[in-house]
Amino acid sequence: MIHFKLFFALIFVFVSCESAEIQDVDFIGKNGQNYQAANAKTSKSFVDGVSEKTPNFQSFKSEFSMVIQTYVPKRETFHMDGKLFFDKDSKNVKIQLMDSFFGLIFSELIAGPNQIQLKPSGEKIPQIFPMGDLAIKDPNSKKTIVIPFPVIYQYITGAYIEEIKNPKAKFLISESRVSLDKLDGSYEYFFKENILERLELSSKQKGLKAIALVKNKTPDTHPPKEVITKVISLDTEKENVIIQIKMKKVNLTEVSPSTFRF
């Protein structure tokens, strides 16, 4: 797990606001039925169908708003804004986080398929970590909140397409599901009409379950207009945090390679 104390510390300095609650989502989990192998004929047909309906993952620039609703140690809601850049060829993502009031950038993140670079405002040299979760540190309560960044990254970049092509993937065709066990846990992909609708992660190593769910009327739109991510503690089965990301002012355009340098 990656600990980004500096990355998110300022988020909790700003005043939390009372607002309408984020719509809750339930964790479904793996079905008890037998999943078939990736080399089965129907599995291959399913992957072909998903590939045909895959959204056009074009490069883009976008502004977004984020709401983080915490449950532990107490229920609070925090707001922030940001900018997001995506390059379809390299699958690089750059995120700039800024406060909603002044619009000042206080941290930047560049993520590729295998690593994350982090540069808080005022720092000259970025920190480099392997791809993994973001751990938010609340400077007041000292409570760490885990955000499963890999599931959000897969939605933004379309990396899930390659995941379901993995020869180790298992398929439950009757429910349009694909399951893949990786080093960091078990991933479950849920499709509707061959379009990814939900992504779940269950990880004993991390002690969490995570859900990422598209919440808009056109789930084939890229980038998704709204994604809700929820983290549940394995030991207590209680919610830790729900994150709502809403895209706005999306501009489908090529992004300069220099964007992904600090």
Side-chain angles (χ1 to χ4, degrees), residues 97-146:
L97 285 180
M98 57 191 68
D99 70 88
S100 300
F101 187 76
F102 294 105
L104 299 174
I105 296 173
F106 58 81
S107 204
E108 294 183 290
L109 174 151
I110 296 175
N114 300 311
Q115 74 172 21
I116 296 174
Q117 301 179 66
L118 165 69
K119 186 176 178 294
S121 178
E123 298 290 330
K124 294 183 178 180
I125 301 176
Q127 304 170 54
I128 300 176
F129 306 91
M131 171 61 74
D133 299 330
L134 306 180
I136 300 175
K137 177 76 75 172
D138 180 349
N140 297 317
S141 67
K142 307 303 180 184
K143 175 67 179 180
T144 298
I145 303 168
V146 177

Side-chain angles (χ1 to χ4, degrees), residues 138-207:
D138 180 349
N140 297 317
S141 67
K142 307 303 180 184
K143 175 67 179 180
T144 298
I145 303 168
V146 177
I147 293 181
F149 187 72
V151 298
I152 298 174
Y153 175 84
Q154 287 196 35
Y155 262 120
I156 294 172
T157 64
Y160 64 86
I161 299 298
E162 295 305 314
E163 297 289 296
I164 68 170
K165 292 179 179 179
N166 190 308
K168 295 182 179 180
K170 303 292 183 182
F171 294 77
L172 185 60
I173 302 300
S174 62
E175 296 189 8
S176 298
R177 294 195 193 195
V178 182
S179 179
L180 178 63
D181 291 333
K182 301 176 66 175
L183 291 177
D184 60 339
S186 179
Y187 288 79
E188 191 87 2
Y189 301 85
F190 297 74
F191 292 84
K192 183 178 181 180
E193 297 178 354
N194 289 332
I195 297 171
L196 182 66
E197 185 177 51
R198 169 190 289 257
L199 172 54
E200 296 187 351
L201 167 64
S202 179
S203 175
K204 292 182 180 179
Q205 300 93 316
K206 300 175 181 179

Side-chain angles (χ1 to χ4, degrees), residues 232-254:
I232 303 170
S233 174
L234 274 183
D235 55 352
T236 64
E237 288 291 330
K238 292 182 178 180
E239 297 94 339
N240 280 353
V241 63
I242 299 181
I243 306 106
Q244 178 191 62
I245 300 173
K246 287 187 175 182
M247 295 292 181
K248 53 186 181 180
K249 297 182 180 179
V250 176
N251 182 14
L252 299 177
T253 182
E254 295 302 314

Side-chain angles (χ1 to χ4, degrees), residues 43-101:
S43 299
K44 294 179 179 179
S45 296
F46 181 83
V47 172
D48 290 342
V50 170
S51 299
E52 290 175 3
K53 291 292 291 288
T54 297
N56 186 8
F57 289 96
Q58 300 181 53
S59 301
F60 71 87
K61 303 175 183 178
S62 176
E63 297 180 12
F64 67 87
S65 61
M66 181 183 289
V67 180
I68 298 179
Q69 188 168 291
T70 64
Y71 293 85
V72 180
K74 61 181 180 178
R75 198 161 184 158
E76 291 184 285
T77 303
F78 305 91
H79 301 258
M80 75 196 75
D81 293 317
K83 292 183 179 180
L84 191 153
F85 306 84
F86 166 63
D87 176 64
K88 66 178 181 180
D89 295 326
S90 65
K91 288 198 167 27
N92 283 333
V93 171
K94 183 174 185 177
I95 298 174
Q96 296 176 325
L97 285 180
M98 57 191 68
D99 70 88
S100 300
F101 187 76

Side-chain angles (χ1 to χ4, degrees), residues 5-27:
K5 181 176 181 179
L6 291 175
F7 182 46
F8 282 101
L10 286 178
I11 292 174
F12 295 91
V13 174
F14 298 104
V15 179
S16 61
C17 304
E18 298 225 357
S19 62
E21 289 192 358
I22 305 171
Q23 182 179 346
D24 201 355
V25 291
D26 294 323
F27 185 86

